Short mmCIF file of all heavy atoms in Angstrom, two decimals:
data_model
loop_
_atom_site.label_atom_id
_atom_site.label_comp_id
_atom_site.label_asym_id
_atom_site.label_seq_id
_atom_site.Cartn_x
_atom_site.Cartn_y
_atom_site.Cartn_z
N VAL A 367 8.31 0.09 -3.22
CA VAL A 367 9.14 1.10 -3.73
C VAL A 367 10.00 0.59 -4.90
O VAL A 367 10.27 1.30 -5.86
CB VAL A 367 9.98 1.74 -2.61
CG1 VAL A 367 10.99 2.73 -3.17
CG2 VAL A 367 9.10 2.46 -1.60
N GLU A 368 10.52 -0.62 -4.71
CA GLU A 368 11.33 -1.21 -5.76
C GLU A 368 10.47 -1.42 -7.06
O GLU A 368 10.94 -1.17 -8.15
CB GLU A 368 11.86 -2.57 -5.30
CG GLU A 368 12.93 -2.46 -4.26
CD GLU A 368 13.33 -3.88 -3.72
OE1 GLU A 368 12.77 -4.86 -4.12
OE2 GLU A 368 14.31 -3.93 -2.93
N CYS A 369 9.22 -1.84 -6.86
CA CYS A 369 8.35 -1.99 -8.04
C CYS A 369 8.08 -0.66 -8.72
O CYS A 369 7.94 -0.66 -9.95
CB CYS A 369 6.95 -2.61 -7.57
SG CYS A 369 7.06 -4.38 -7.09
N LEU A 370 7.94 0.32 -7.95
CA LEU A 370 7.69 1.74 -8.52
C LEU A 370 8.73 2.11 -9.53
O LEU A 370 8.45 2.70 -10.53
CB LEU A 370 7.60 2.71 -7.45
CG LEU A 370 6.25 2.92 -6.71
CD1 LEU A 370 6.36 4.02 -5.62
CD2 LEU A 370 5.21 3.30 -7.64
N GLU A 371 9.98 1.73 -9.20
CA GLU A 371 11.04 2.11 -10.13
C GLU A 371 10.88 1.50 -11.51
O GLU A 371 11.24 2.13 -12.48
CB GLU A 371 12.42 1.60 -9.56
CG GLU A 371 12.79 2.33 -8.23
CD GLU A 371 13.12 3.82 -8.55
OE1 GLU A 371 13.75 4.17 -9.58
OE2 GLU A 371 12.75 4.64 -7.65
N PHE A 372 10.24 0.40 -11.57
CA PHE A 372 10.02 -0.32 -12.91
C PHE A 372 8.64 -0.07 -13.48
O PHE A 372 8.47 -0.03 -14.64
CB PHE A 372 10.26 -1.82 -12.72
CG PHE A 372 11.68 -2.20 -12.36
CD1 PHE A 372 12.05 -2.59 -11.11
CD2 PHE A 372 12.66 -2.15 -13.41
CE1 PHE A 372 13.38 -2.89 -10.80
CE2 PHE A 372 13.98 -2.47 -13.08
CZ PHE A 372 14.31 -2.84 -11.83
N ASP A 373 7.59 -0.05 -12.58
CA ASP A 373 6.22 -0.12 -12.99
C ASP A 373 5.43 1.20 -12.96
O ASP A 373 4.23 1.23 -13.18
CB ASP A 373 5.49 -1.17 -12.19
CG ASP A 373 6.08 -2.58 -12.33
OD1 ASP A 373 6.85 -2.78 -13.23
OD2 ASP A 373 5.82 -3.41 -11.46
N TRP A 374 6.08 2.36 -12.65
CA TRP A 374 5.34 3.60 -12.57
C TRP A 374 4.71 3.96 -13.89
O TRP A 374 3.66 4.65 -13.86
CB TRP A 374 6.27 4.80 -12.11
CG TRP A 374 7.34 5.11 -13.13
CD1 TRP A 374 8.56 4.59 -13.18
CD2 TRP A 374 7.20 5.95 -14.29
NE1 TRP A 374 9.26 5.12 -14.28
CE2 TRP A 374 8.48 5.95 -14.97
CE3 TRP A 374 6.19 6.73 -14.77
CZ2 TRP A 374 8.69 6.72 -16.07
CZ3 TRP A 374 6.39 7.51 -15.94
CH2 TRP A 374 7.58 7.47 -16.58
N ASN A 375 5.14 3.47 -15.00
CA ASN A 375 4.61 3.79 -16.32
C ASN A 375 3.52 2.78 -16.73
O ASN A 375 3.06 2.84 -17.89
CB ASN A 375 5.72 3.82 -17.30
CG ASN A 375 5.34 4.69 -18.58
OD1 ASN A 375 4.47 5.62 -18.39
ND2 ASN A 375 5.92 4.36 -19.67
N SER A 376 3.18 1.89 -15.87
CA SER A 376 2.19 0.82 -16.18
C SER A 376 0.82 1.28 -15.93
O SER A 376 0.57 2.22 -15.16
CB SER A 376 2.51 -0.47 -15.44
OG SER A 376 2.26 -0.27 -14.08
N ASP A 377 -0.17 0.54 -16.50
CA ASP A 377 -1.57 0.90 -16.21
C ASP A 377 -1.92 0.60 -14.74
O ASP A 377 -2.89 1.08 -14.25
CB ASP A 377 -2.50 0.10 -17.16
CG ASP A 377 -2.37 0.50 -18.60
OD1 ASP A 377 -1.97 1.65 -18.85
OD2 ASP A 377 -2.56 -0.37 -19.45
N ASP A 378 -1.15 -0.28 -14.16
CA ASP A 378 -1.34 -0.71 -12.80
C ASP A 378 -1.11 0.39 -11.73
O ASP A 378 -1.71 0.39 -10.68
CB ASP A 378 -0.37 -1.83 -12.48
CG ASP A 378 -0.64 -2.63 -11.29
OD1 ASP A 378 -1.77 -2.77 -10.90
OD2 ASP A 378 0.37 -3.13 -10.67
N PHE A 379 -0.28 1.40 -12.02
CA PHE A 379 0.21 2.32 -11.03
C PHE A 379 -0.87 3.21 -10.44
O PHE A 379 -1.00 3.31 -9.20
CB PHE A 379 1.31 3.23 -11.69
CG PHE A 379 1.75 4.37 -10.80
CD1 PHE A 379 2.00 4.10 -9.43
CD2 PHE A 379 1.89 5.60 -11.26
CE1 PHE A 379 2.45 5.13 -8.64
CE2 PHE A 379 2.33 6.67 -10.46
CZ PHE A 379 2.59 6.41 -9.13
N MET A 380 -1.77 3.80 -11.26
CA MET A 380 -2.76 4.68 -10.73
C MET A 380 -3.77 3.94 -9.80
O MET A 380 -4.22 4.47 -8.75
CB MET A 380 -3.53 5.39 -11.87
CG MET A 380 -2.70 6.33 -12.65
SD MET A 380 -1.92 7.63 -11.62
CE MET A 380 -0.82 8.39 -12.82
N TYR A 381 -4.18 2.73 -10.20
CA TYR A 381 -5.02 1.97 -9.36
C TYR A 381 -4.42 1.54 -8.07
O TYR A 381 -4.96 1.62 -7.00
CB TYR A 381 -5.61 0.76 -10.06
CG TYR A 381 -6.59 -0.05 -9.28
CD1 TYR A 381 -7.80 0.53 -8.88
CD2 TYR A 381 -6.30 -1.31 -8.81
CE1 TYR A 381 -8.72 -0.11 -8.14
CE2 TYR A 381 -7.24 -1.97 -8.04
CZ TYR A 381 -8.49 -1.34 -7.73
OH TYR A 381 -9.40 -2.02 -6.92
N ALA A 382 -3.09 1.22 -8.17
CA ALA A 382 -2.32 0.92 -6.92
C ALA A 382 -2.33 2.10 -6.02
O ALA A 382 -2.41 1.99 -4.75
CB ALA A 382 -0.94 0.49 -7.26
N THR A 383 -2.15 3.28 -6.54
CA THR A 383 -2.13 4.50 -5.75
C THR A 383 -3.47 4.72 -5.10
O THR A 383 -3.63 5.11 -3.92
CB THR A 383 -1.82 5.75 -6.61
OG1 THR A 383 -0.53 5.58 -7.16
CG2 THR A 383 -1.81 7.07 -5.79
N LEU A 384 -4.58 4.46 -5.86
CA LEU A 384 -5.93 4.54 -5.25
C LEU A 384 -6.10 3.51 -4.06
O LEU A 384 -6.59 3.92 -2.95
CB LEU A 384 -6.93 4.24 -6.34
CG LEU A 384 -8.44 4.21 -5.86
CD1 LEU A 384 -8.82 5.64 -5.36
CD2 LEU A 384 -9.36 3.76 -6.99
N VAL A 385 -5.58 2.37 -4.25
CA VAL A 385 -5.64 1.37 -3.13
C VAL A 385 -4.87 1.85 -1.91
O VAL A 385 -5.28 1.78 -0.78
CB VAL A 385 -5.04 -0.02 -3.66
CG1 VAL A 385 -4.87 -0.96 -2.45
CG2 VAL A 385 -5.92 -0.60 -4.73
N VAL A 386 -3.67 2.41 -2.19
CA VAL A 386 -2.89 3.01 -1.04
C VAL A 386 -3.64 4.00 -0.32
O VAL A 386 -3.68 3.99 0.94
CB VAL A 386 -1.57 3.51 -1.60
CG1 VAL A 386 -0.89 4.41 -0.51
CG2 VAL A 386 -0.67 2.40 -2.11
N PHE A 387 -4.29 4.94 -0.97
CA PHE A 387 -4.97 6.06 -0.32
C PHE A 387 -6.28 5.58 0.34
O PHE A 387 -6.77 6.24 1.24
CB PHE A 387 -5.18 7.21 -1.26
CG PHE A 387 -3.97 8.06 -1.35
CD1 PHE A 387 -2.89 7.83 -2.16
CD2 PHE A 387 -3.90 9.32 -0.56
CE1 PHE A 387 -1.77 8.60 -2.24
CE2 PHE A 387 -2.79 10.11 -0.68
CZ PHE A 387 -1.74 9.78 -1.50
N GLU A 388 -6.86 4.54 -0.23
CA GLU A 388 -8.08 4.05 0.38
C GLU A 388 -7.88 3.14 1.60
O GLU A 388 -8.75 3.03 2.48
CB GLU A 388 -8.93 3.24 -0.69
CG GLU A 388 -9.54 4.09 -1.74
CD GLU A 388 -10.48 3.26 -2.61
OE1 GLU A 388 -10.26 2.03 -2.78
OE2 GLU A 388 -11.40 3.80 -3.20
#
Side-chain angles (χ1 to χ4, degrees):
V367 173
E368 291 174 354
C369 289
L370 275 180
E371 293 295 320
F372 293 103
D373 298 345
W374 65 266
N375 202 27
S376 69
D377 295 333
D378 192 32
F379 173 45
M380 294 302 173
Y381 183 64
T383 301
L384 178 62
V385 171
V386 167
F387 276 81
E388 285 187 337

